[in-house]
Amino acid sequence: MSIGEYLQLISIDPWHIAASVLNLIILFFIVKRFLYKPVVKILNERNQQVRDIYSDAEKARADAEHDKAEYSAALASAHEKSAEIVRAASEEARKSGEEIIAGAKTEADRLRRKADEDIANERRKAVSELKGEIGSLSVELAGKVIDREINPEDHKRLVDDFIDGLGDGNDDESR
């Protein structure tokens, strides 16, 4: 190759530069229109969602602190009221004498024993009901197992159905 050919390869052609700049500008606007703006829009929407979540969390925290303050105030008031009741009861008890104090202690013991008995009865009743329900569910599951031959898929489905039945309290009546 001669020097003229090399110079022609190295030379600056204004039409090629103008075409390249025009292609670059067109490509820039296409990318901006169809890629940049939608991506920025999506990012802004997600940022807004995150800000909303943080705002909701902050509001929930403030509400919880407010509720805690109200609870503390109510608790303090209850303590004050209970202290006042105790003071009044003590004054009255001193005035009334030992006989009234003995009668009040006897009544309080009776009420406490009755409350303890009620709690124990309710606990026994709840345990009995729970045992009965678990027993009936077990019998129902065993009946289903006995009624048909079980392959691995049926076994998994039966176990899942049994667990679901425990969770929502419904037997297979609604299915």
Side-chain angles (χ1 to χ4, degrees), residues 62-78:
D63 289 346
E65 287 179 3
H66 180 263
D67 291 346
K68 181 181 175 187
E70 285 181 355
Y71 174 76
S72 297
L75 188 61
S77 174

Side-chain angles (χ1 to χ4, degrees), residues 150-169:
I150 298 195
N151 60 31
E153 292 134 3
D154 288 341
H155 180 266
K156 181 179 181 340
R157 194 176 77 251
L158 280 174
V159 169
D160 289 342
D161 289 347
F162 178 73
I163 291 171
D164 289 342
L166 287 177
D168 59 297

Side-chain angles (χ1 to χ4, degrees), residues 34-131:
F34 294 109
L35 181 66
Y36 181 73
K37 285 183 180 181
V39 168
V40 168
K41 181 182 175 186
I42 290 171
L43 289 176
N44 288 337
E45 288 173 358
R46 287 191 180 174
N47 282 336
Q48 183 61 40
Q49 288 174 348
V50 168
R51 282 192 295 271
D52 291 346
I53 289 170
Y54 279 125
S55 172
D56 292 346
E58 182 62 29
K59 183 177 183 274
R61 185 192 61 76
D63 289 346
E65 287 179 3
H66 180 263
D67 291 346
K68 181 181 175 187
E70 285 181 355
Y71 174 76
S72 297
L75 188 61
S77 174
H79 283 301
E80 289 176 13
K81 286 179 182 178
S82 66
E84 181 61 35
I85 291 170
V86 168
R87 280 192 298 272
S90 297
E91 184 67 32
E92 187 176 320
R94 261 195 332 253
K95 291 178 183 176
S96 299
E98 291 297 320
E99 184 178 323
I100 295 175
I101 291 174
K105 285 182 180 179
T106 303
E107 182 65 18
D109 287 341
R110 185 187 66 75
L111 289 175
R112 184 174 34 242
R113 279 193 306 271
K114 184 177 183 320
D116 288 343
E117 289 173 5
D118 290 346
I119 290 170
N121 288 338
E122 288 297 321
R123 183 177 292 142
R124 281 191 295 273
K125 182 180 172 184
V127 166
S128 175
E129 288 175 2
L130 185 59
K131 284 181 181 178

Side-chain angles (χ1 to χ4, degrees), residues 23-41:
N23 281 339
L24 181 63
I25 291 171
I26 291 171
L27 183 61
F28 173 76
F29 284 113
I30 289 173
V31 167
K32 184 177 179 183
R33 168 107 173 130
F34 294 109
L35 181 66
Y36 181 73
K37 285 183 180 181
V39 168
V40 168
K41 181 182 175 186

